[in-house]
Amino acid sequence: MKDQVDSINQKYKISSFINSSLEYNEIEAVLRKIKNREIKILFLSPEKLENRSFAERIKNLAPEYIFIDEAHCISEWGHDFRPSYKKIKDFCSFTEANKISAFTATATPDVREDIINQLNLSNPKIVVRGFERPNLSIKVFKTDRKKEKTLEIIKNNMLPAIIYTSTRKNTQNVAEFLQANKIKTTYYHAGLTPDLRRLIQDDFMNDNIKIIAATNAFGMGVDKKDIRTIIHYNSPGTIENYYQEIGRAGRDGKISNVFLLFDQDDVKLQKYFIRSANPSFEDIKTIYNKICDYANIAVGSKYEKEIILDNKFNKFIIGSEISSNQIAVLLNILEENQLIKQVSNYKKRYYFKYLLSSADLKKYIKKIADDSLKNILVFLLRNYSNEPFYSKIAIDITELSEAAGLNKYFLINKLKELSGYSILELDSPSMFPTLNLLGTRVDSKYLRIDYEKLTEKKKHSEIKLNEIQSFVETDDCRMHFIINYFGETDQFYKCGICDNCMGSKESVDHSIEFLEEKILDVIHAELSSIKEKVLMKLLTGNSRVPSMKNNPNFGILKHYSKNEIKNVINLLISKSLLERVNDYLALSQKAKSKYLQSDPDENQLNYDKLELYQKLKQARDEGARKFFQNAELICKEKVMRNIAEEKPDSSQDLLSVEGFTQRNFNKIGNEFLEIIKDYLEKTKIKTKETSKELPENIYNVYELVKKGYSLIDISKITKLPEAVISMQIETLIELYPDISINSLISLKDVKLIQAELKNGILGLKELKEKLPNSISYAMIRIVLAKSQYL
């Protein structure tokens, strides 16, 4: 929501959102602006509409239009059904808004029809935009060596990249494998803390991280236009999911590559997901009986109280062959069949009862010094009369906070404070699933379950999985298969760039880099531009013209198809290395610079790495004179930059540097290793490998500092106090005096601390007393440690 609002407000400051991240006063400010016509578009989740009092406030603002995004979630035949979406039609009716629009990128014809029925739309205008994505080159590989295949793809394709997996464990496994192969990668899934997920997403959006392995929890809010590669490490369960996820690549319209890695284990995993989402009739009966037994409800009896399915309940069902992650699915089925009513998080109540008599409470109110506590007690007395003196009563915290004009969380804390003083007794709502039994308990043999509907739903999911397998096996154009699936028919459509269209099904072109290099070299030799048709004839050797036959590059790529060459030309254009001008292909300025023997600038290498690079270059140039060869053949500029970055200190590590071959090593390898050894001894900078000898907790902090996280963010991620983090950073500064603290503490605060140090104040306590309260001991400790090396 925030991303979409920010995007709109860059041009027109007319939108806002309301969700659980906002405080009471922030929500009130938004509603005020809507009333004053300052805000015209409000973003909400459908779950928010379950709060009756909130829905009434929205109704009073008289919304004219209701727009429903991700509308496929309304349909049980869609790939991401959410029950709360079905209640949107009730909200539309409640607010009396009759201008309703629904949007989705992944609705098949049957889902479109179901959306119309679920929203009670009469004679709606239906707009179906083309599903074709002509800039996506789709390739499918059948393989049981997925890690190795992923590594191969990443090395041969452009970044940024997303690697989608079906499980959290696989995200970690893939990321760790790539890291072990010296490819910087991180992972993302819903099990990470919200702060860490936010930081990882920001890093990816800002290009601090180029490769991310993730579950489908990553992507809905990611509007990054230049994602060049997407890999499905595991096959998705539906074409809809697959299409939605590959649609995150190439949003700028440039050629991007998407890969699906498939094996039969993927099918087994998706079948397991289908079974979990579609339990048997026996499982439904079992959970119904377990709920009733847990609450001690006899057959034929009613139960008026709420039933809380807490940790004791989870232990109670052990041995019933029902897993804890199936409970939510089973509860939804029981609710749909009107056997239970789940208590919404919005409707969960607090209960309170006074522990003092009426007379004693009034005396306490007169004596109390805390005005906020006094005001809350007076408000409770006025609104709930005498009943709480005799029994516990339910209160809606949201309604109460709005009526009292207080922040909800402030009110809760104050009520807890009064409970701690034994002024009142407070029962907080459970964070566990809570429900009411509807009617009397029935013998499970007579449960009325619409099992025909459940069977149909399971069959529908299995059909969708079969479609994915058909997609893997098809010899048809991949994009044609997809657009046909979504209801578009074009018998002769061919995308021209998928593996089937290019005749390279189930194969990776290992020589993309070779093809790129040769194409650029040939165009460079032809004075940096050439007609595209002439270039194709020259490269493939398909010409009888004598002058072309005499060209040294004639037929240099004769073993490659025209489609393969064209695909790489398009790739070079997307990399901004080639430009297509009318019928000509020309080298861009970026490409021309590759043919100049210029040194990298400080934007490419830090100062210390520049020093090492210069020494490597000097040795390389001496080697070129020694062997009477072009310097680039001894070792390429970009490879030396990689070596200066990684500082390999063994022959094995040097050979693992991208682009450095055994041929390079035979000519210059030993000289490079001597230079690196001398450099490391001189600067006393440890290599990446030796830095891992740090204790794990300090090493984690070291990695976060290097990535540029702030002191506050590191504290949130590691769940350690800033004081502890600062002591670990002191240790790191001793080991790595050059480590930057710029991201940890603002420059303004650093200057304030340094000013006091210059005045001769060196003690932590004395410094703290002299500095503003916003500067913590942790910040002072870090600046003190760093100042010893300035």
Side-chain angles (χ1 to χ4, degrees), residues 438-464:
L438 299 180
T440 60
R441 176 179 179 179
V442 299
D443 189 316
S444 61
K445 289 186 292 187
Y446 306 113
L447 279 181
R448 298 181 67 180
I449 300 288
D450 187 351
Y451 204 69
E452 184 179 338
K453 180 181 177 183
L454 294 177
T455 304
E456 188 179 358
K457 184 170 174 283
K458 183 179 180 183
K459 185 179 178 182
H460 195 78
S461 298
E462 289 169 343
I463 289 170
K464 285 181 178 291

Short mmCIF file of all heavy atoms in Angstrom, two decimals, residues 438-464:
data_model
loop_
_atom_site.label_atom_id
_atom_site.label_comp_id
_atom_site.label_asym_id
_atom_site.label_seq_id
_atom_site.Cartn_x
_atom_site.Cartn_y
_atom_site.Cartn_z
N LEU A 438 -21.85 -22.85 16.77
CA LEU A 438 -23.19 -22.45 16.34
C LEU A 438 -24.16 -23.60 16.58
O LEU A 438 -23.94 -24.73 16.13
CB LEU A 438 -23.19 -22.06 14.86
CG LEU A 438 -22.29 -20.87 14.48
CD1 LEU A 438 -22.38 -20.60 12.99
CD2 LEU A 438 -22.65 -19.62 15.26
N GLY A 439 -25.24 -23.31 17.29
CA GLY A 439 -26.22 -24.35 17.58
C GLY A 439 -25.69 -25.33 18.62
O GLY A 439 -24.75 -25.05 19.37
N THR A 440 -26.29 -26.51 18.63
CA THR A 440 -25.85 -27.55 19.58
C THR A 440 -24.82 -28.45 18.91
O THR A 440 -24.74 -28.52 17.69
CB THR A 440 -27.05 -28.41 20.03
OG1 THR A 440 -27.63 -29.02 18.87
CG2 THR A 440 -28.10 -27.56 20.74
N ARG A 441 -24.05 -29.13 19.76
CA ARG A 441 -23.10 -30.10 19.21
C ARG A 441 -23.88 -31.27 18.64
O ARG A 441 -24.82 -31.79 19.27
CB ARG A 441 -22.15 -30.61 20.30
CG ARG A 441 -21.20 -31.70 19.78
CD ARG A 441 -20.22 -32.19 20.82
NE ARG A 441 -19.38 -33.25 20.26
CZ ARG A 441 -18.40 -33.86 20.93
NH1 ARG A 441 -18.14 -33.53 22.20
NH2 ARG A 441 -17.68 -34.80 20.35
N VAL A 442 -23.50 -31.69 17.43
CA VAL A 442 -24.16 -32.84 16.80
C VAL A 442 -23.18 -34.00 16.73
O VAL A 442 -21.96 -33.82 16.76
CB VAL A 442 -24.66 -32.48 15.38
CG1 VAL A 442 -25.67 -31.37 15.43
CG2 VAL A 442 -23.50 -32.10 14.47
N ASP A 443 -23.73 -35.18 16.64
CA ASP A 443 -22.90 -36.37 16.44
C ASP A 443 -22.22 -36.22 15.08
O ASP A 443 -22.87 -35.90 14.08
CB ASP A 443 -23.78 -37.62 16.45
CG ASP A 443 -22.96 -38.91 16.45
OD1 ASP A 443 -21.98 -38.98 15.67
OD2 ASP A 443 -23.28 -39.82 17.22
N SER A 444 -20.90 -36.41 15.05
CA SER A 444 -20.14 -36.15 13.82
C SER A 444 -20.61 -36.98 12.63
O SER A 444 -20.36 -36.63 11.48
CB SER A 444 -18.65 -36.36 14.06
OG SER A 444 -18.40 -37.69 14.44
N LYS A 445 -21.31 -38.08 12.92
CA LYS A 445 -21.84 -38.91 11.82
C LYS A 445 -22.89 -38.14 11.01
O LYS A 445 -23.11 -38.42 9.84
CB LYS A 445 -22.48 -40.19 12.37
CG LYS A 445 -21.49 -41.20 12.92
CD LYS A 445 -22.18 -42.50 13.31
CE LYS A 445 -23.09 -42.27 14.52
NZ LYS A 445 -23.65 -43.57 15.02
N TYR A 446 -23.50 -37.14 11.66
CA TYR A 446 -24.58 -36.39 11.01
C TYR A 446 -24.17 -34.97 10.63
O TYR A 446 -25.03 -34.11 10.37
CB TYR A 446 -25.81 -36.36 11.93
CG TYR A 446 -26.24 -37.75 12.38
CD1 TYR A 446 -26.14 -38.12 13.72
CD2 TYR A 446 -26.74 -38.68 11.46
CE1 TYR A 446 -26.51 -39.38 14.13
CE2 TYR A 446 -27.11 -39.95 11.86
CZ TYR A 446 -26.99 -40.31 13.20
OH TYR A 446 -27.36 -41.57 13.61
N LEU A 447 -22.88 -34.71 10.60
CA LEU A 447 -22.43 -33.37 10.20
C LEU A 447 -22.88 -33.06 8.78
O LEU A 447 -22.71 -33.88 7.87
CB LEU A 447 -20.90 -33.27 10.27
CG LEU A 447 -20.24 -33.02 11.63
CD1 LEU A 447 -18.74 -32.94 11.46
CD2 LEU A 447 -20.76 -31.75 12.27
N ARG A 448 -23.43 -31.87 8.59
CA ARG A 448 -23.88 -31.47 7.26
C ARG A 448 -22.77 -30.65 6.60
O ARG A 448 -22.62 -29.45 6.85
CB ARG A 448 -25.17 -30.66 7.36
CG ARG A 448 -26.32 -31.47 7.97
CD ARG A 448 -27.59 -30.66 8.04
NE ARG A 448 -28.11 -30.36 6.71
CZ ARG A 448 -29.23 -29.66 6.51
NH1 ARG A 448 -29.92 -29.20 7.53
NH2 ARG A 448 -29.65 -29.41 5.28
N ILE A 449 -21.98 -31.33 5.79
CA ILE A 449 -20.84 -30.71 5.10
C ILE A 449 -21.09 -30.81 3.60
O ILE A 449 -21.44 -31.88 3.08
CB ILE A 449 -19.51 -31.43 5.44
CG1 ILE A 449 -19.24 -31.37 6.94
CG2 ILE A 449 -18.35 -30.83 4.64
CD1 ILE A 449 -18.83 -30.03 7.48
N ASP A 450 -20.91 -29.70 2.90
CA ASP A 450 -21.04 -29.71 1.44
C ASP A 450 -19.76 -30.31 0.86
O ASP A 450 -18.89 -29.60 0.36
CB ASP A 450 -21.27 -28.28 0.93
CG ASP A 450 -21.59 -28.25 -0.57
OD1 ASP A 450 -21.46 -29.31 -1.22
OD2 ASP A 450 -21.94 -27.16 -1.07
N TYR A 451 -19.69 -31.66 0.96
CA TYR A 451 -18.44 -32.31 0.53
C TYR A 451 -18.31 -32.32 -1.00
O TYR A 451 -17.20 -32.41 -1.53
CB TYR A 451 -18.36 -33.73 1.09
CG TYR A 451 -16.93 -34.20 1.18
CD1 TYR A 451 -16.05 -33.62 2.10
CD2 TYR A 451 -16.44 -35.19 0.33
CE1 TYR A 451 -14.73 -34.01 2.16
CE2 TYR A 451 -15.11 -35.59 0.40
CZ TYR A 451 -14.27 -34.99 1.31
OH TYR A 451 -12.96 -35.37 1.38
N GLU A 452 -19.42 -32.20 -1.69
CA GLU A 452 -19.36 -32.13 -3.16
C GLU A 452 -18.58 -30.90 -3.61
O GLU A 452 -17.75 -30.96 -4.51
CB GLU A 452 -20.79 -32.10 -3.72
CG GLU A 452 -20.82 -32.14 -5.25
CD GLU A 452 -22.24 -32.14 -5.80
OE1 GLU A 452 -23.17 -32.52 -5.05
OE2 GLU A 452 -22.42 -31.74 -6.96
N LYS A 453 -18.83 -29.78 -2.89
CA LYS A 453 -18.11 -28.55 -3.20
C LYS A 453 -16.62 -28.70 -2.90
O LYS A 453 -15.76 -28.25 -3.66
CB LYS A 453 -18.70 -27.39 -2.40
CG LYS A 453 -18.03 -26.06 -2.65
CD LYS A 453 -18.65 -24.97 -1.79
CE LYS A 453 -17.93 -23.64 -1.99
NZ LYS A 453 -18.48 -22.58 -1.11
N LEU A 454 -16.30 -29.36 -1.77
CA LEU A 454 -14.90 -29.57 -1.40
C LEU A 454 -14.19 -30.46 -2.42
O LEU A 454 -13.04 -30.22 -2.79
CB LEU A 454 -14.80 -30.19 -0.01
CG LEU A 454 -15.29 -29.33 1.17
CD1 LEU A 454 -15.19 -30.11 2.47
CD2 LEU A 454 -14.47 -28.05 1.27
N THR A 455 -14.89 -31.49 -2.87
CA THR A 455 -14.31 -32.41 -3.87
C THR A 455 -14.05 -31.67 -5.17
O THR A 455 -13.01 -31.85 -5.82
CB THR A 455 -15.26 -33.59 -4.12
OG1 THR A 455 -15.53 -34.24 -2.88
CG2 THR A 455 -14.65 -34.59 -5.09
N GLU A 456 -15.00 -30.81 -5.55
CA GLU A 456 -14.85 -30.03 -6.78
C GLU A 456 -13.66 -29.08 -6.68
O GLU A 456 -12.90 -28.90 -7.63
CB GLU A 456 -16.14 -29.25 -7.04
CG GLU A 456 -16.17 -28.55 -8.40
CD GLU A 456 -17.46 -27.79 -8.64
OE1 GLU A 456 -18.35 -27.84 -7.76
OE2 GLU A 456 -17.57 -27.16 -9.69
N LYS A 457 -13.49 -28.46 -5.49
CA LYS A 457 -12.39 -27.53 -5.28
C LYS A 457 -11.04 -28.26 -5.39
O LYS A 457 -10.09 -27.76 -6.01
CB LYS A 457 -12.53 -26.88 -3.90
CG LYS A 457 -11.49 -25.82 -3.59
CD LYS A 457 -11.88 -25.08 -2.31
CE LYS A 457 -10.79 -24.10 -1.89
NZ LYS A 457 -9.65 -24.77 -1.27
N LYS A 458 -10.96 -29.45 -4.79
CA LYS A 458 -9.72 -30.23 -4.86
C LYS A 458 -9.42 -30.63 -6.30
O LYS A 458 -8.29 -30.53 -6.78
CB LYS A 458 -9.82 -31.47 -3.98
CG LYS A 458 -8.54 -32.29 -3.94
CD LYS A 458 -8.67 -33.50 -3.03
CE LYS A 458 -7.37 -34.29 -3.01
NZ LYS A 458 -7.50 -35.52 -2.17
N LYS A 459 -10.46 -31.06 -7.00
CA LYS A 459 -10.29 -31.45 -8.41
C LYS A 459 -9.81 -30.27 -9.24
O LYS A 459 -8.96 -30.42 -10.13
CB LYS A 459 -11.62 -31.99 -8.95
CG LYS A 459 -11.53 -32.54 -10.36
CD LYS A 459 -12.89 -33.08 -10.81
CE LYS A 459 -12.81 -33.58 -12.25
NZ LYS A 459 -14.13 -34.07 -12.74
N HIS A 460 -10.35 -29.09 -8.95
CA HIS A 460 -9.96 -27.87 -9.66
C HIS A 460 -8.47 -27.59 -9.46
O HIS A 460 -7.75 -27.24 -10.41
CB HIS A 460 -10.79 -26.70 -9.14
CG HIS A 460 -10.76 -25.50 -10.02
ND1 HIS A 460 -11.49 -25.39 -11.18
CD2 HIS A 460 -10.08 -24.33 -9.90
CE1 HIS A 460 -11.27 -24.22 -11.75
NE2 HIS A 460 -10.41 -23.55 -10.99
N SER A 461 -7.98 -27.75 -8.23
CA SER A 461 -6.55 -27.54 -7.93
C SER A 461 -5.68 -28.55 -8.67
O SER A 461 -4.59 -28.22 -9.17
CB SER A 461 -6.30 -27.65 -6.42
OG SER A 461 -7.00 -26.66 -5.72
N GLU A 462 -6.15 -29.79 -8.75
CA GLU A 462 -5.39 -30.84 -9.45
C GLU A 462 -5.32 -30.56 -10.95
O GLU A 462 -4.30 -30.80 -11.59
CB GLU A 462 -6.03 -32.20 -9.17
CG GLU A 462 -5.81 -32.68 -7.73
CD GLU A 462 -6.66 -33.88 -7.38
OE1 GLU A 462 -7.64 -34.17 -8.11
OE2 GLU A 462 -6.34 -34.53 -6.37
N ILE A 463 -6.42 -30.02 -11.50
CA ILE A 463 -6.43 -29.66 -12.92
C ILE A 463 -5.41 -28.56 -13.19
O ILE A 463 -4.67 -28.59 -14.18
CB ILE A 463 -7.85 -29.21 -13.36
CG1 ILE A 463 -8.79 -30.42 -13.39
CG2 ILE A 463 -7.81 -28.52 -14.72
CD1 ILE A 463 -10.26 -30.06 -13.57
N LYS A 464 -5.35 -27.58 -12.29
CA LYS A 464 -4.38 -26.49 -12.45
C LYS A 464 -2.95 -27.02 -12.39
O LYS A 464 -2.07 -26.55 -13.13
CB LYS A 464 -4.60 -25.43 -11.37
CG LYS A 464 -5.84 -24.56 -11.61
CD LYS A 464 -6.01 -23.51 -10.53
CE LYS A 464 -7.20 -22.62 -10.81
NZ LYS A 464 -7.01 -21.73 -11.98
#
